[in-house]
Amino acid sequence: MAVTVLATLARVYVDDLDVALPTFVELTGEQPRLRFTYRELELASIGGYLLLAGSQEALAPYRGTHATTIVESIDRILHITEQHGGKVLDGPNEVPTGRNLTVQHPGGATIEYVQFHAAARSAFA
């Protein structure tokens, strides 16, 4: 059974979300679909990007994650991770947009997976 990947977002780490967003609005021709805070970070989804803003200290634990992938089922990701010998680095957690999980896959790729709750999914679509 395949996992349905709904979208993959490139992660962009910035110092100030309000300063960074106008450039990404112009680049993508879009307004942010989601904007929220999580722990000490401010985040915004715009086009194919997920902007993460915060101090260097706040961003440090997240910089090793290569992408954020929106999926239909976190439980399916857990199963695939176990089946292929990956390592769960964080989660599953309840987050402002639903549930997330960060996995290091065999070969070294580190990906955050997010399963949106209904409100986030409708804003993202």
Side-chain angles (χ1 to χ4, degrees):
M1 172 189 241
V3 171
T4 302
V5 171
L6 303 174
T8 298
L9 304 173
R11 294 180 128 205
V12 178
Y13 301 95
V14 301
D15 298 326
D16 185 313
L17 197 55
D18 291 323
V19 170
L21 273 173
T23 300
F24 285 88
V25 167
E26 181 123 2
L27 286 169
T28 64
E30 297 182 20
Q31 293 297 316
R33 289 177 278 188
L34 293 171
R35 187 169 177 171
F36 58 96
T37 58
Y38 179 67
R39 297 182 180 162
E40 296 178 32
L41 303 178
E42 289 184 85
L43 296 91
S45 166
I46 183 167
Y49 301 99
L50 178 65
L51 278 63
L52 296 91
S55 68
Q56 293 302 313
E57 297 79 26
L59 288 169
Y62 303 97
R63 286 190 182 275
T65 302
H66 301 109
T68 295
T69 299
I70 312 306
V71 295
E72 287 189 343
S73 172
I74 288 291
D75 294 332
R76 182 76 179 118
I77 298 299
L78 281 167
H79 175 75
I80 290 169
T81 299
E82 179 180 285
Q83 191 174 36
H84 292 274
K87 180 180 176 185
V88 173
L89 300 178
D90 188 33
N93 302 300
E94 294 298 319
V95 295
T97 55
R99 294 173 67 208
N100 83 337
L101 171 73
T102 303
V103 172
Q104 184 176 47
H105 292 287
T110 300
I111 308 292
E112 175 199 27
Y113 294 94
V114 179
Q115 178 182 335
F116 281 158
H117 55 55
R121 195 168 184 170
S122 66
F124 193 78

